[in-house]
Amino acid sequence: MIGLISATAAGAAARDRLAAAWPDRTRVYEGPVKEAVRAAFAECEQLVCFLATGAVVRLLAPLLAGKAADPGVVCVDEGGRFAVALLGGHGGGANELAREVGASLGAEPVVTTATDAVGLPGLDTLGLPYEGAVAAVSRALLDGEPVALAAEVAWPLPPLPVADEGAYTIRVTDQDAVPGEREVLLRPPSLVVGVGASRGAPAEEVLGLVEGALREAGLSARSVGELATVDAKAGEPGIVAAAERLGVPLVTYSAEELAGVEVPNPSAAPLAAVGTPSVAEAAALLRGGELLVPKRKSAMATCAVVRRPARGRLAVVGLGPGARDLLTPRAAAELRRASVVVGLDQYVDQIRDLLRPGTRVLESGLGAEEERARTAVAQARAGHAVALIGSGDAGVYAMASPALAEASDDIDVVGVPGVTAALAAGAILGAPLGHDHVSISLSDLHTPWEVIERRVRAAAEADLVVTFYNPRSRGRDWQLPKALAILAGHREPATPVGVVRNASRPDESSRVTTLAELDAATVDMMTVVTVGNTATRIVAGRMVTPRGYRWQASREEPK
């Protein structure tokens, strides 16, 4: 919960705007400011104070316990111009809260945490348990000193400006190790513990067996990602309690699924009890991995430990038509998250300034689409966080389809939508897509012209508004006239046609003409051509396609 505190009428107005925007996340604290701050500090995970920073500092000083326990605090000034992350930038989430408050209230977020200020991800904000000299290693990263990345376990991390060797080290490991003086240990959730238990097995026995197995194998309990067992044991109190104490989810599988897993130590006892010859080993191995600890037994429980390979992450990101303000916040966040960015060189140039230090960029020229898709998938399979970028929406005549055709279920894939060229052009032209419409690419490099022509003819007969992508190039100059001729067989010569070149970019140009008057020679590959249907009209110089609901024509006038 986020506590909201204000002292003035202007502060209360901004406070109430935020409360209205986030009704389920916020609680307003009324009354004297000192008591309100004290109550919110004790009861909330975060605070937004519509007060001067100096006043908030004095009010908070007696309440501070330490960065691990204190809530995140953001101050908003009287004029609502700035949202200042004052306390708990990382641990309390104040840095991100300042950005959210700024976006909601139109204020400028002010973040002074050194790593955030220069675009470096904080080592304590990666979502992984950590140990060691976070401040010293972070300072080395900021100062440009060589920091080595020792990835004993491959895991998708955000970009970090690391080297092969250095006086400081970031070590990604699931080993039960003690960090050195200049070392940070990051604990990925790479371990899966399979467990089985007799009815009524005490939680202490299950937990003791698991912790003992990890300890003897030299593995860290902080890298356990989940406990796994058979469905029949989903409610077994000892197993449920062990998962809760370890702070990990309990995942269950059917006996049939487990029976299909080949294990080194099958047994007749679980086969008779729950229908599978293995519970602990099979549950740990079901989704693949390396068996580190074969089945171990206590009086009433069994366990086994598996290290699963890291699942890389592939984000297929649409950059929009080109203008920075049409790049979605989600796309920008994925670019900051990715340690590897793959894309067409000219698209990489558009967003290079958004990439964090240490991001590895793999760029190539036109015609290498399938190679880029294979590269992106291969990087994700190697355990990296990858962003594969494309213009517009990556799923529309772009990189999503070749990438997903290459990807299998061994990586996580995320699609990030973008504003398409058709939508950007439509907004410039007016409202040409107000009713049913279709987009057709006229490039026959990958699709036979006979197929394209059949689609154009079907759109013409169906009276659909048509947006042509890839309409004309130096080597393909006849396809657009042919497609327009097909449409002309079903539409009047005065049918409106919109032509937009480089939509949303600095050299954007557009015009509205007609089907009869369009000169195809003025169109190139940077152009989108939108042909209206039989209802499309030009109103005040803009293309408008009425929605045309039947009730609009048949409704009765009020009596």
Side-chain angles (χ1 to χ4, degrees):
M1 187 62 66
I2 303 171
L4 306 181
I5 302 104
S6 63
T8 66
R15 176 202 69 191
D16 292 344
R17 284 170 55 202
L18 195 61
W22 300 345
D24 299 327
R25 299 176 60 191
T26 57
R27 180 188 303 162
V28 173
Y29 284 79
E30 304 277 8
V33 170
K34 182 176 181 179
E35 285 74 14
V37 169
R38 184 179 296 274
F41 194 90
E43 297 169 359
C44 296
E45 292 82 16
Q46 295 175 318
L47 281 69
V48 178
C49 299
F50 296 85
L51 305 164
T53 55
V56 177
V57 167
R58 287 189 291 273
L59 291 169
L60 291 178
L63 308 176
L64 301 181
K67 64 184 298 182
D70 294 334
V73 179
V74 170
C75 286
V76 178
D77 67 290
E78 182 75 2
R81 296 174 300 167
F82 304 104
V84 182
L86 185 68
L87 178 70
H90 283 171
N95 292 347
E96 184 57 34
L97 179 61
R99 296 184 183 97
E100 290 188 79
V101 170
S104 182
L105 299 181
E108 180 72 22
V110 178
V111 175
T112 58
T113 306
T115 50
D116 292 65
V118 299
L120 282 174
L123 298 177
D124 53 352
T125 66
L126 302 181
L128 300 178
Y130 59 90
E131 303 166 36
V134 171
V137 174
S138 297
R139 190 179 306 112
L141 289 170
L142 290 166
D143 291 344
E145 296 186 46
V147 176
L149 177 64
E152 297 173 5
V153 178
W155 207 259
L157 297 175
L160 294 165
V162 293
D164 293 332
E165 297 180 352
Y168 297 84
T169 304
I170 299 169
R171 183 178 170 193
V172 185
T173 182
D174 54 20
Q175 297 293 307
D176 186 16
V178 177
E181 291 184 3
R182 295 185 170 189
E183 185 176 53
V184 170
L185 302 185
L186 298 178
R187 304 290 193 186
S190 54
L191 304 178
V192 178
V193 180
V195 292
S198 302
R199 182 177 300 175
E204 290 74 12
E205 180 177 342
V206 177
L207 188 61
L209 179 65
V210 169
E211 291 178 336
L214 293 169
R215 185 169 53 251
E216 291 183 24
L219 300 170
S220 173
R222 303 188 77 187
S223 279
V224 175
E226 64 187 43
L227 259 59
T229 191
V230 66
D231 285 346
K233 298 296 180 179
E236 185 62 44
I239 294 177
V240 172
E244 290 175 350
R245 294 188 196 179
L246 288 169
V248 299
L250 177 63
V251 178
T252 65
Y253 303 103
S254 69
E256 183 179 5
E257 289 177 293
L258 298 183
V261 179
E262 185 175 344
V263 297
N265 300 293
S267 172
L271 180 61
V274 293
T276 172
S278 173
V279 173
E281 288 181 338
L285 284 167
L286 182 63
R287 287 163 50 196
E290 176 188 3
L291 184 63
L292 302 180
V293 180
K295 182 174 69 175
R296 292 170 56 100
K297 298 176 64 176
S298 65
M300 301 182 70
T302 59
C303 80
V305 183
V306 163
R307 177 186 289 135
R308 285 188 183 158
R311 287 182 64 85
R313 188 175 191 275
L314 174 62
V316 187
V317 180
L319 302 179
R324 179 56 59 84
D325 59 355
L326 292 182
L327 176 75
T328 67
R330 187 180 299 179
E334 288 292 347
L335 293 174
R336 290 192 297 269
R337 176 174 181 167
S339 61
V340 180
V341 170
V342 181
L344 180 68
D345 47 14
Q346 64 189 57
Y347 297 152
V348 171
D349 288 341
Q350 292 178 21
I351 50 84
R352 201 181 296 272
D353 63 303
L354 296 178
L355 305 181
R356 279 177 157 163
T359 304
R360 188 154 50 97
V361 177
L362 305 176
E363 54 189 310
S364 53
L366 286 168
E369 288 78 14
E370 292 183 357
E371 177 188 343
R372 283 196 293 276
R374 287 193 294 269
T375 297
V377 171
Q379 290 293 319
R381 284 185 176 138
H384 299 299
V386 182
L388 175 62
I389 61 174
S391 68
D393 184 288
V396 179
Y397 302 123
M399 294 304 303
S401 55
L404 269 61
E406 184 75 20
S408 50
D409 62 0
D410 56 346
I411 61 173
D412 295 324
V413 178
V414 178
V416 182
V419 178
T420 68
L423 295 179
I428 293 164
L429 295 171
L433 309 182
H435 210 297
D436 296 337
H437 54 275
V438 63
S439 295
I440 298 176
S441 171
L442 294 183
S443 173
D444 56 1
L445 295 178
H446 300 287
T447 305
W449 173 253
E450 293 76 14
V451 175
I452 297 172
E453 182 174 337
R454 188 164 67 246
R455 291 170 180 171
V456 174
R457 198 172 302 281
E461 294 173 354
D463 197 25
L464 298 173
V465 176
V466 181
T467 297
F468 288 123
Y469 281 69
N470 306 312
R472 184 177 181 273
S473 67
R474 285 192 296 268
R476 295 186 301 99
D477 58 1
W478 59 268
Q479 287 90 341
L480 178 59
K482 176 68 173 176
L484 295 173
I486 294 171
L487 292 176
H490 298 265
R491 300 178 193 182
E492 296 296 327
T495 299
V497 176
V499 180
V500 180
R501 188 177 190 278
N502 284 333
S504 86
R505 299 183 183 183
D507 56 346
E508 169 191 300
S509 63
S510 65
R511 67 186 187 276
V512 176
T513 181
T514 66
L515 192 55
E517 296 175 349
L518 174 63
D519 180 4
T522 63
V523 173
D524 62 13
M525 283 289 286
M526 306 304 293
T527 305
V528 171
V529 178
T530 301
V531 182
N533 67 9
T534 56
T536 304
R537 300 289 182 263
I538 297 177
V539 181
R542 292 180 287 269
M543 286 179 68
V544 179
T545 302
R547 298 182 72 177
Y549 289 123
R550 284 178 291 179
W551 62 264
Q552 289 181 311
S554 62
R555 64 184 177 182
E556 295 182 2
E557 293 295 327
K559 297 180 180 178

